[in-house]
Amino acid sequence: MFTMDFGSRPLDDLLDDVGLKHAFDKNLEKASAYARALAMDALPPFARRTGEDQDHAAIEALAHEIQRGFKELVVLGTGGSSLGAQAALAIARYRPSTGVTVHTPDSLCPFEMDRLFATLDPNETHVLSISKSGTTAETLAQLLAFRAWLEPQTKRPLKDHFSFITEPKPSALRAYGEALGSHIVEHPLDVGGRFSVLTTVGMVPVAAAGLSVKGFRHGAHEIYKAVGSVPETTAAVIGAALTHTLAEHRGVTQVLLMAYADALRAFTRWHGQLWAESLGKDGKGTTPIRAVGPVDQHSQLQLFLDGPDDKFSTFIVVPSYGKGPRLDPKAAKDNGLDYMAGRTIGDTVTCQARATQDALRARGRIIRQLTINALDEENIGALFMSFMLETVVMAHLMGVDAFDQPAVEESKILTRKYLAELE
Ligand SMILES: O=P(O)(O)OC[C@H]1O[C@](O)(CO)[C@@H](O)[C@@H]1O
């Protein structure tokens, strides 16, 4: 699980300093009441389904089939049909490999597809196509291209090379999978793509890579239990109430998620879709910014510190004192790194995360830190659930529907029109 703090002083004092305690308390009360009602009446399906584990057998069956037959897994899907899996899979590279190697070409890119075709062995490659709607052009185009690459080269039945996750209703993707005779697993009808990471969508790739589905779901379960019973103490509810208060009263228009671990880079991308697509509506919304430390200290921190005071920042930190290579004291001193002499890379990064937040706090910013003690399934599952619930509670405070995305459809229609007009 993870802990939350706002630095050395309690949040209430920080809010008092800027005259926002009363406004925050009102928002927290409203957010907590909503979270309690959600838990009592009907948890959002993305949370309820995660707790029931009803699809566990289907997830494991497909994952084992892939593992038994192949070394490489290509997950075709975009947006919510890929970002969650990528965020979850990012911890796999720190474990001994027990599953397949997963590739996630989530953006339609000719150069990336050519690279995959040039490097993958067709006989060892399984292609899992994920699309809730089953109509997304990018995913269908990739699928057709992969089949054209595989079919002339494979020695095995073509149907075994493909599997599908899509809704149980008619669509181009479902029809394609049925015609091939391949394994099709259901995408739940009542869970939107950006909320689907803990369903079959995120969990089949995770299981195929050898990670624990139960671990992710257990971490998530602990969070939604807490949000239902003691909402006013949870990161999800406090985070939503605070962001909304700062947006209403302090001109906050952006939310920064800065993670101090490479493995959380993909998590910040997942969060970007979740926040933007759920909340950017009716002329309202706050823009998500994704950053990873320390690298973005050297690219974006100048703006965060010295630019407009229009951001609410959350740092995710994995304390790593004593971890990683230790710098030889003499070599460090000889090269101008006296302050790192005998220290580990983990010591350095942990101190950098603290220093960056303190520098921001010194400029009067309210900064939230979420601390996880390890990059494991439970912690990442907990973060997934916490941010999904935070988004839903935030939508309630803002008065928008967290679960639709009507505006995106306009650009899809135009893309089809432009393609039809090509000479
Ligand atoms: O899973 P699908 O239906 O292919 O959609 C992929 C993504 O496209 C969107 O519908 C936006 O166009 C997202 O909401 C979704 O995650």
Side-chain angles (χ1 to χ4, degrees), residues 91-98 209-212 216 375-378:
I91 59 172
R93 68 184 133 143
Y94 302 113
R95 310 273 177 84
S97 172
T98 54
L211 295 175
S212 162
F216 283 105
L375 291 166
D376 62 19
E377 288 91 333
E378 273 81 7

Side-chain angles (χ1 to χ4, degrees), residues 76-78 108 113 129-131 133-148 162 164 166 171-177 416:
L76 303 181
T78 194
L108 192 60
M113 293 198 75
S129 299
I130 308 180
S131 171
S133 62
T135 61
T136 297
E138 289 88 341
T139 308
L140 285 164
Q142 285 178 318
L143 172 61
L144 300 187
F146 263 94
R147 179 179 181 162
F162 292 89
F164 298 83
T166 190
S171 72
L173 189 71
R174 178 166 277 274
Y176 198 90
R416 278 185 208 128

Side-chain angles (χ1 to χ4, degrees), residues 299-372:
S299 63
Q300 301 190 72
L301 186 58
Q302 170 65 33
L303 172 77
F304 302 158
L305 283 170
D306 217 15
D309 181 5
D310 59 356
K311 298 165 197 62
F312 172 56
S313 306
T314 298
F315 283 68
I316 308 181
V317 174
V318 194
S320 49
Y321 292 113
K323 302 253 169 75
R326 191 174 290 281
L327 296 193
D328 172 65
K330 180 166 180 331
K333 284 184 187 142
D334 289 350
N335 289 284
L337 292 175
D338 303 42
Y339 53 94
M340 286 192 197
R343 299 286 174 212
T344 68
I345 299 296
D347 295 339
T348 306
V349 172
T350 309
C351 289
Q352 283 177 307
R354 193 174 145 206
T356 303
Q357 292 179 71
D358 284 348
L360 281 160
R361 287 196 184 100
R363 290 177 184 247
R365 315 284 160 81
I366 297 177
I367 308 295
R368 168 171 69 162
Q369 174 170 283
L370 305 179
T371 306
I372 58 175

Side-chain angles (χ1 to χ4, degrees), residues 1 11 45 54 74 83 88 117 124 167 183 186 202-203 229 237 261 358:
M1 297 322 120
L11 177 60
Q54 59 191 344
V74 178
L83 289 170
F117 293 158
E124 292 295 347
E167 288 182 326
H183 195 144
E186 309 303 358
M203 295 296 106
S229 55
V237 174
D358 284 348

